[in-house]
Amino acid sequence: MNHKLAVSTVFLILIWGLLVSCQADDSITASTETAVSTPQVELVMETAVPTTIGATLPSSTASSTPLPTPSATATATAVPTPSFSLTQREPTLAEIEEFLSLSPVLFFYPDRGLELIPLEDYFLEHDLSKHTEFFYQDVNGDEETDLILADMFPLFWENGFVIVMLWTGNQYGTPLMILDGAKYSPGLQVTFEDWTNDDIPEIIFDFKSDLGGTGVKQTTWTRYVIHCHIACEVIWWGVTGELLSASTIRKLLTTSIERNVDEMGKPNLTIETSSFSAPDFGGTGNGAKTIFTSTLAIYTWNGTLFEKADEQVIQPMYTVTEDSILSATNQSGIDARITSEFDNFYADYVIFHCTLEVGEIIVEETFECLPNFTKVTWLDITNDGREEIIIDATGLGTQSLLVFKWGEENLVQIANILGDIIDPDLFGVRLEDTDDDGQFEIVAGRGYFSEGSNCKIYEYGSPDPTESCWWHELDLREQVYRWDGETFVLEPTE
């Protein structure tokens, strides 16, 4: 292959410009869904009207961000025969590169579906890496295994892609390529699941991208579902998760996708989407927590794509402007109160140093809180007949639960547990009798990323070889802390 750097650079810039909107350090946007279908030997492309996903920073308001949906505008184009044949059943990387550089591919554009384009320039600058994943799987039901490739260039181009090539009996057909990109650390995984109830697996391509700038980071998880028959097409795609972290905001969008089959054997998808920001922009600790619209959408399989059949609002958008109790008195008349002092050292980070005072005692160790979203109460949670002081302090995307025993005019701290806010009800940490034994436990949220999987060593790391994990899930879990007679300790996980 002729390695022409200038040509390849122009080609990559062109593709990147078509796939990803320009990203500034203070502006983050994401694309929405397009559904593509191919009956028989034609490609029918369903193109959606773009919808902004995520948030633009900085901003004084936040808005609901529903999942993208397919529209009903269709165009058709024929599936060509590759101009250069690849007849090797299990080709080498070099043979695949030559095939891809000499034959056009069906390239999936999120904004307009499939287009036939040449890829010869794409491979002028770099080859497929030695970490390219090969999957041999029958994805069109002809009892012949097809070839699926997945690769990523995390230290150079910050993108990842999947290529699907169907075996046509004596050679591989026209490839389908889906490419996604990230500013920082991309991630991908390929799995196989039967979404259309035909006993033939679809190709599930999940991609994780990171965007952002100074003090801002947005991670987005996107899923592409590829269905193959005579040709391959994207039958559903959309954002499945989003986490935005900044100095004054934490925003989380989650989806739950459930696959079902009705009494007629027709597949459908039930997709529940919810999101929140906690807290929103609003100055020195007086910002509101924004709970975005939660929706439940039904998609039905019409033979060519999953088409939205219904969508319902589960919870309209609302805001919580204040939720605080800064003083409480126990049965003996002892007053517990929280005072706060704003720290103006950080120009873009809203932080208060909060102090607990009980009677005449002032606890020297302060804690972070937003006064408008902090509570202090008295409650016996250890079953010793005496009320403890419970502080529920909300920070920037987190909640802390502090517990103090009070007796004989002294304070003993028995819990200081930090939890990530992981639910739209703004749960980060709570008291709950999880096993109905009459004893409270402390349940804390733990987010937001799973441990890395499918990790690979890149020898061209600087200065030493670098390990890069190809996949991290949006992983939202709960941890339980149990009372052991003296303090609350973390329950071991299996």
Side-chain angles (χ1 to χ4, degrees):
M1 278 178 276
N2 184 13
H3 293 262
K4 299 177 181 176
L5 177 60
V7 176
S8 64
T9 302
V10 172
F11 181 80
L12 284 169
I13 293 174
L14 176 61
I15 288 183
W16 193 257
L18 291 171
L19 288 175
V20 182
S21 301
C22 294
Q23 302 294 333
D25 280 351
D26 60 350
S27 180
I28 305 172
T29 58
S31 299
T32 60
E33 176 183 332
T34 299
V36 184
S37 60
T38 307
Q40 303 301 326
V41 295
E42 292 184 334
L43 295 176
V44 179
M45 296 181 289
E46 303 281 349
T47 305
V49 178
T51 304
T52 299
I53 296 292
T56 301
L57 302 178
S59 171
S60 60
T61 60
S63 60
S64 176
T65 56
L67 270 181
T69 57
S71 72
T73 302
T75 58
T77 182
V79 179
T81 300
S83 56
F84 177 81
S85 62
L86 179 60
T87 59
Q88 289 82 357
R89 197 66 179 90
E90 297 185 5
T92 64
L93 283 177
E95 291 169 338
I96 294 172
E97 290 166 2
E98 184 179 22
F99 175 62
L100 295 174
S101 66
L102 295 176
S103 293
V105 304
L106 290 168
F107 199 94
F108 178 72
Y109 289 92
D111 59 343
R112 61 180 185 268
L114 292 180
E115 289 190 11
L116 191 68
I117 66 171
L119 275 188
E120 66 270 15
D121 293 335
Y122 184 83
F123 292 99
L124 294 181
E125 177 60 25
H126 60 270
D127 297 331
L128 293 169
S129 78
K130 69 177 184 179
H131 298 297
T132 300
E133 293 185 338
F134 285 69
F135 302 91
Y136 286 95
Q137 180 93 21
D138 179 11
V139 294
N140 64 351
D142 64 357
E143 299 184 354
E144 294 279 0
T145 57
D146 307 296
L147 176 56
I148 298 93
L149 303 172
D151 203 359
M152 194 164 65
F153 302 97
L155 302 180
F156 292 110
W157 304 115
E158 302 294 355
N159 63 33
F161 60 80
V162 63
I163 298 174
V164 184
M165 299 190 296
L166 299 181
W167 181 252
T168 62
N170 56 7
Q171 65 177 17
Y172 284 102
T174 299
L176 167 70
M177 182 177 186
I178 299 174
L179 180 142
D180 209 330
K183 185 175 181 180
Y184 300 117
S185 302
L188 64 83
Q189 73 170 359
V190 173
T191 54
F192 301 90
E193 299 174 351
D194 180 10
W195 280 43
T196 56
N197 197 35
D198 59 1
D199 295 325
I200 302 170
E202 273 65 51
I203 305 160
I204 314 300
F205 175 45
D206 289 307
F207 189 80
K208 180 186 76 72
S209 65
D210 287 334
L211 303 172
T214 304
V216 179
K217 181 179 179 181
Q218 176 174 303
T219 302
T220 303
W221 287 263
T222 306
R223 170 165 290 187
Y224 304 85
V225 181
I226 306 167
H227 173 77
C228 297
H229 183 45
I230 294 176
C232 295
E233 57 277 347
V234 178
I235 59 173
W236 186 88
W237 81 279
V239 172
T240 57
E242 184 179 85
L243 174 65
L244 185 148
S245 298
S247 56
T248 57
I249 190 171
R250 177 74 55 81
K251 179 181 176 183
L252 179 68
L253 179 147
T254 60
T255 61
S256 173
I257 302 176
E258 181 180 346
R259 294 182 285 117
N260 302 289
V261 178
D262 64 19
E263 63 276 5
M264 303 298 293
K266 187 176 183 179
N268 60 75
L269 307 176
T270 301
I271 302 178
E272 183 175 346
T273 304
S274 60
S275 64
F276 65 86
S277 64
D280 198 357
F281 295 99
T284 57
N286 297 316
K289 299 179 179 181
T290 303
I291 313 299
F292 295 109
T293 303
S294 299
T295 61
L296 186 68
I298 306 296
Y299 291 79
T300 58
W301 174 243
N302 65 12
T304 58
L305 58 85
F306 280 99
E307 185 176 29
K308 181 182 286 187
D310 185 38
E311 184 172 25
Q312 300 176 3
V313 174
I314 302 174
Q315 173 65 64
M317 185 176 69
Y318 66 96
T319 59
V320 181
T321 57
E322 185 172 353
D323 185 16
S324 66
I325 302 174
L326 300 180
S327 178
T329 305
N330 70 359
Q331 296 175 354
S332 301
I334 305 299
D335 186 49
R337 56 195 174 275
I338 294 175
T339 59
S340 61
E341 180 180 356
F342 179 64
D343 187 342
N344 59 7
F345 179 79
Y346 303 97
D348 59 350
Y349 185 71
V350 177
I351 182 174
F352 285 80
H353 298 292
C354 297
T355 302
L356 172 64
E357 299 180 11
V358 185
E360 301 299 323
I361 298 177
I362 299 177
V363 179
E364 294 183 2
E365 184 178 354
T366 63
F367 56 94
E368 290 187 15
C369 77
L370 296 176
N372 280 9
F373 300 99
T374 296
K375 298 178 182 180
V376 58
T377 57
W378 292 85
L379 180 68
D380 180 12
I381 66 171
T382 62
N383 292 329
D384 64 352
R386 295 182 178 182
E387 294 175 304
E388 284 77 42
I389 302 170
I390 315 298
I391 299 175
D392 185 348
T394 298
L396 297 174
T398 62
Q399 283 184 322
S400 295
L401 191 70
L402 293 81
V403 183
F404 294 86
K405 275 188 170 295
W406 166 258
E408 302 300 332
E409 298 186 350
N410 63 69
L411 285 170
V412 177
Q413 187 177 85
I414 60 174
N416 186 353
I417 296 171
L418 179 70
D420 295 307
I421 296 177
I422 62 174
D423 286 341
D425 64 0
L426 301 176
F427 152 69
V429 62
R430 66 175 180 268
L431 288 168
E432 180 184 343
D433 183 2
T434 59
D435 51 9
D436 297 323
D437 64 351
Q439 170 62 59
F440 277 112
E441 284 76 43
I442 299 176
V443 183
R446 191 200 76 183
Y448 292 90
F449 299 93
S450 66
E451 294 183 4
S453 60
N454 199 7
C455 302
K456 305 174 189 298
I457 301 295
Y458 289 83
E459 296 177 356
Y460 42 74
S462 177
D464 300 314
T466 302
E467 181 181 67
S468 180
C469 296
W470 278 29
W471 188 244
H472 294 83
E473 298 274 359
L474 176 60
D475 187 26
L476 308 178
R477 299 186 183 182
E478 296 182 354
Q479 297 181 132
V480 177
Y481 294 78
R482 297 190 180 277
W483 174 245
D484 69 355
E486 295 183 359
T487 186
F488 285 87
V489 296
L490 180 63
E491 181 180 68
T493 57
E494 296 180 358

